[in-house]
Amino acid sequence: MPRVSTDQLAARRQQILDGARACFTRYGYEGATVRLLEQSIGLSRGAIFHHYRDKDALFLALAEQDAERIADVVAEHGLVQVMRDLVADPDGDARSWLGTRLEVARRLRTEPEFRERWQAELAALGAATRARLERQVAAGVVRDDVPVPVLARYLDLVLEGLESHLARGLPVDELDAVLDLVEGAVRRG
C-alpha cells in the first residue's frame, strides 16, 4: 500500500473541512446529515470519518480552524475588520464563519459539555482582541479613558449583534456606516 505524504494528508483534511464548512453553513449542525456531508465533501463516509472520529469531531475541528482564522484577523486588523469582512463578503469565507459561529453560539447555550470544551477558543479570541486594543492604546490610536476589557466586551457584543442581524437575513446596506460608528467609538477622539 502506498504511503500518503504529510502534504497529501493535510490537503485531504482541508478538503473535508472545506466541504463540511459549506454543508454546516447551509444546513446547520443538526441538518447536516452524513449523506449531505458526503455530497458536499465529495468523499465517502469512510474517507471522512477516517480523518475525523464522528460528525461532532468534524464540526469541532472546523470551528477551531475558523476561530483561529478569526483570531488571526483580530490580531492583525482588529475585531471591527472581522465585522467588515462579514458584511463585505456575503458568499465567501467570512460568511462561512458566520454559520460556524452561529452554530457554536447555539451549542454554547444548549450544551454544557460543549461550553466547557470551547472555553479555550473563547479565551484565545478574547486575548487577541485585548492584545490588539492594548497595542492600539499604546500607539495612541484607541481611546485610553475606557479600560481595554470594557472596549473588548463592547466590540464582542457588537459582533454578536451583527451576527444576529445577518442570520435573520436583514439588509446590509447601512452596515458599513454603522461599523464606522463602532470604530469611531473606540478610537481616540
Side-chain angles (χ1 to χ4, degrees), residues 2-186:
R3 275 203 113 116
V4 177
S5 75
T6 304
D7 289 344
Q8 290 170 319
L9 191 59
R12 176 56 53 102
R13 286 187 176 140
Q14 192 57 53
Q15 174 190 357
I16 293 168
L17 289 175
D18 291 344
R21 181 180 292 108
C23 191
F24 287 130
T25 297
R26 183 167 183 191
Y27 299 106
Y29 180 82
E30 297 300 327
T33 63
V34 173
R35 175 160 291 165
L36 290 171
L37 284 165
E38 287 175 313
Q39 291 171 357
S40 181
I41 295 167
L43 296 172
S44 70
R45 68 187 64 207
I48 295 167
F49 297 122
H50 170 75
H51 295 277
Y52 298 95
R53 181 182 71 251
D54 54 22
K55 180 175 146 180
D56 193 50
L58 176 59
F59 178 77
L60 274 173
L62 171 65
E64 287 168 357
Q65 183 183 62
D66 284 357
E68 288 172 16
R69 290 169 62 201
I70 291 169
D72 289 346
V73 172
V74 169
E76 183 71 25
H77 305 288
L79 195 55
V80 174
Q81 186 60 49
V82 171
M83 296 180 225
R84 290 188 188 284
D85 290 349
L86 283 170
V87 170
D89 191 11
D91 298 315
D93 281 349
R95 189 54 66 98
S96 72
W97 293 348
L98 176 64
T100 304
R101 284 187 51 91
L102 291 170
E103 194 58 44
V104 165
R106 181 195 66 79
R107 294 184 73 185
L108 286 170
R109 183 178 58 82
T110 60
E111 300 175 26
E113 291 174 9
F114 181 83
R115 187 179 318 120
E116 188 175 311
R117 285 190 313 225
W118 197 250
Q119 289 307 311
E121 301 302 331
L122 292 173
L125 182 57
T129 301
R130 287 187 304 278
R132 167 84 178 168
L133 287 168
E134 287 167 0
R135 288 192 308 274
Q136 295 290 3
V137 167
V141 176
V142 168
R143 59 192 299 171
D144 60 2
D145 62 326
V146 177
V148 165
V150 173
L151 291 173
R153 180 64 52 96
Y154 167 70
L155 291 173
D156 189 49
L157 290 171
V158 172
L159 174 59
E160 289 177 9
L162 176 64
E163 291 168 343
S164 176
H165 182 90
L166 295 172
R168 294 186 340 235
L170 297 174
V172 298
D173 52 337
E174 295 176 348
L175 292 181
D176 283 330
V178 170
L179 293 177
D180 289 344
L181 183 63
V182 170
E183 196 164 28
V186 297

